[in-house]
Amino acid sequence: GLTGNKGWKPHWRSPEPQSEYDIIIIGGGGHGLSTAYHLAAKYTDKRIAVLEKGYIGGGNVGRNTTIVRANYFLKGNSEFYSHSLKLWERMEKDLNYNAMHSQRGILNLFHSDGQRDAAARRGNMMVNQGDDAILLDREGVRDILPYLDYDNIRFPVYGALYHKRGGTARHDAVAWGYARGADQRGVDIIQNCEVTGIDIENGVVKGVQTSKGPIKAKKVGMVVAGRSSQVAAMAGMQVPIESTVLQAFVTEGLKPVLDNVVTFGMGHFYISQSDKGGLVFGGDIDMYASYAQRGNLPTTEHVIDAAMTLMPMIGKAKLLRSWGGIMDMSPDGSPVIDKTHVEGLYLNCGWNYGGFKAVPASGDCFAHLIAKDEPHPVAEKFRLDRFRTGHGIMDEEGTGSQHN
Ligand code: FAD
């Protein structure tokens, strides 16, 4: 049995923090670990630490519904997520780690002529970006998803935008893979180490205060997802982020029944089947600001209503459990990867519902920014000041992209 195997080693070390680093990354979620990995892999000779207040995989990176895709509509997002999907496609090889990345295809259903037009426009943008998109009619969808409710009069299925390279991945394996890869390249991953203050002198970052004592640093990256407002406030910043709960649900394990990822176009609902057999699904955020990692029943009811409308067969499955994570919602639904007003202090936040698929590119681009002090070409529109200048990237109408 598992307990009998005494030869297994931890995937990463558990060092005590040093008194000083070149670069400190605050937050050991997917984005923080990916940033540390890309920094250590590309910009060697730097002493790097990731400071995580809890444990690796305990945040949103281990709580999401694992959907990975590159089907955005607007410039800014489309090239970034295209880059991210390419990094997903080589991640397991790069990390030598099985993240169970499964390109099983995503079908975004549409239910009206207007939605079909929007899907066609989005599909064209995806193809122009170099990614894949196929517009399916109703019979094309029926071939792939015969169990949907095609007789539904209120929300008839008109067709779907089919993104074959989209799919899922094992979320916590992604965190573990990046953690191990960063550790192997010399990054100190320090768990149970909460950052409680940011030391700034004459407009220049000098280090951080933590639950394990002060640590000096030349550069500091804030990558704390749902806690972005709180950590940025330590540097005197008020960021345009609201933290809200997003719930997810899983049924008991079933035999293979759902081969793809499916999203419902007339409500917030998306679903796939995990390799263990559970139907994994989610919907919209609980519509109030909160730092609780659990949601409330009205949203649960709303999500399950949508599930029953789309695929009545789900009613036979038993719901096993549900959970929540804290979303860092930005005003336009797009992220921020930018410098701050403090020299040496950088901000990565605003991933909304959709930051899991961004993990590889976000780390790559944030590492680039921190190391070179200039934005990576595919992330140059993710400026913090766009909310002041009016250059928001409001992708939702075109894509439904903030739904998962
Ligand atoms: P986290 O894992 O939350 O990492 C942030 C870390 O910062 C945490 O570990 C936290 O403990 C740490 N931290 C906070 N404050 C401090 C401090 N003061 N000091 C030190 N450490 C600190 N995205 C998709 O692309 N596809 C999906 O299908 C999808 N579904 C989702 C479903 C749910 C239910 C949820 C909750 C999210 C979903 N997302 C999805 C979104 C995605 O999970 C997040 O956008 C992404 O994980 C956020 O980045 P992260 O992994 O770095 O966050």
Side-chain angles (χ1 to χ4, degrees):
L2 294 176
T3 49
N5 190 328
K6 305 277 191 275
W8 290 359
K9 294 201 175 68
H11 270 15
W12 54 86
R13 298 163 296 127
S14 292
E16 284 305 309
Q18 295 173 25
S19 60
E20 184 173 358
Y21 290 93
D22 294 315
I23 302 170
I24 282 178
I25 302 297
I26 309 174
H31 292 246
L33 293 166
S34 169
T35 303
Y37 167 82
H38 283 96
L39 275 168
K42 280 196 194 163
Y43 311 100
T44 46
D45 303 335
K46 296 266 185 269
R47 295 165 304 152
I48 304 165
V50 175
L51 308 184
E52 166 53 50
K53 80 170 177 180
Y55 62 94
I56 296 303
N60 295 321
V61 69
R63 292 168 179 268
N64 58 71
T65 44
T66 80
I67 300 170
V68 173
R69 59 192 166 81
N71 59 354
Y72 281 71
F73 179 65
L74 290 182
K75 268 274 169 230
N77 279 333
S78 57
E79 64 268 35
F80 174 82
Y81 286 101
S82 181
H83 178 56
S84 202
L85 187 53
K86 290 187 191 97
L87 294 180
W88 273 103
E89 286 168 340
R90 44 174 255 221
M91 173 202 287
E92 290 172 322
K93 202 165 157 211
D94 286 350
L95 298 175
N96 188 24
Y97 204 92
N98 181 7
M100 295 162 76
H101 181 213
S102 157
Q103 292 185 290
R104 59 186 66 182
I106 298 181
L107 289 102
N108 297 135
L109 300 175
F110 48 80
H111 311 265
S112 68
D113 289 335
Q115 281 195 327
R116 184 197 292 117
D117 289 351
R121 270 202 308 278
R122 175 152 63 110
N124 284 330
M125 289 299 283
M126 290 159 64
V127 171
N128 283 341
Q129 179 57 47
D131 296 312
D132 66 287
I134 300 173
L135 198 69
L136 296 176
D137 63 11
R138 182 185 164 101
E139 292 314 309
V141 178
R142 199 197 294 270
D143 283 347
I144 301 174
L145 309 173
Y147 45 79
L148 299 185
D149 183 2
Y150 290 91
D151 298 325
N152 184 323
I153 295 168
R154 191 163 173 218
F155 304 125
V157 175
Y158 273 44
L161 190 60
Y162 186 21
H163 175 40
K164 280 192 174 180
R165 283 165 64 233
T168 58
R170 170 80 194 269
H171 44 19
D172 35 21
V174 172
W176 302 332
Y178 274 121
R180 188 183 72 164
D183 175 83
Q184 285 171 340
R185 286 160 181 77
V187 173
D188 283 355
I189 296 173
I190 302 164
Q191 300 181 81
N192 300 312
C193 181
E194 178 170 3
V195 170
T196 53
I198 297 178
D199 297 332
I200 299 164
E201 281 173 27
N202 300 323
V204 181
V205 79
K206 295 292 174 186
V208 294
Q209 299 291 322
T210 80
S211 52
K212 294 188 185 239
I215 309 176
K216 290 187 188 144
K218 297 189 180 73
K219 294 185 170 185
V220 175
M222 301 181 282
V223 206
V224 292
R227 300 280 174 178
S228 295
S229 308
Q230 292 175 327
V231 172
M234 295 175 195
M237 297 173 70
Q238 195 176 7
V239 288
I241 297 292
E242 278 188 10
S243 292
T244 55
V245 182
L246 179 66
Q247 304 190 51
F249 308 86
V250 65
T251 68
E252 61 188 331
L254 304 170
K255 287 186 177 174
V257 60
L258 189 62
D259 296 338
N260 315 90
V261 181
V262 183
T263 74
F264 185 29
M266 292 310 288
H268 289 263
F269 180 71
Y270 36 89
I271 187 163
S272 66
Q273 185 166 20
S274 81
D275 293 313
K276 280 195 291 186
L279 299 178
V280 180
F281 57 93
D284 207 347
I285 49 172
D286 285 33
M287 294 288 176
Y288 54 89
S290 170
Y291 289 111
Q293 292 197 120
R294 61 171 193 278
N296 277 316
L297 286 173
T299 304
T300 305
E301 189 176 5
H302 182 81
V303 173
I304 288 168
D305 274 355
M308 289 297 292
T309 307
L310 182 66
M311 44 179 77
M313 59 107 165
I314 204 171
K316 293 197 173 170
K318 292 192 179 66
L319 196 60
L320 199 63
R321 62 197 170 89
S322 67
W323 62 92
I326 314 169
M327 302 292 82
D328 40 334
M329 306 299 287
S330 67
D332 61 357
S334 296
V336 171
I337 301 180
D338 207 353
K339 299 179 195 176
T340 69
H341 67 291
V342 177
E343 195 182 320
L345 182 67
Y346 305 84
L347 178 66
N348 177 317
C349 67
W351 294 101
N352 296 267
Y353 310 145
F356 180 62
K357 70 179 112 33
V359 161
S362 168
D364 186 24
C365 295
F366 202 37
H368 182 102
L369 177 73
I370 293 171
K372 301 191 165 194
D373 266 314
E374 59 188 45
H376 188 289
V378 301
E380 58 189 12
K381 292 200 187 318
F382 296 158
R383 302 279 68 84
L384 180 57
D385 71 359
R386 71 177 186 270
F387 304 108
R388 188 161 43 76
T389 60
H391 290 88
I393 315 170
M394 182 75 94
D395 222 338
E396 180 153 18
E397 293 90 342
T399 66
S401 59
Q402 307 313 324
H403 298 172
N404 50 57

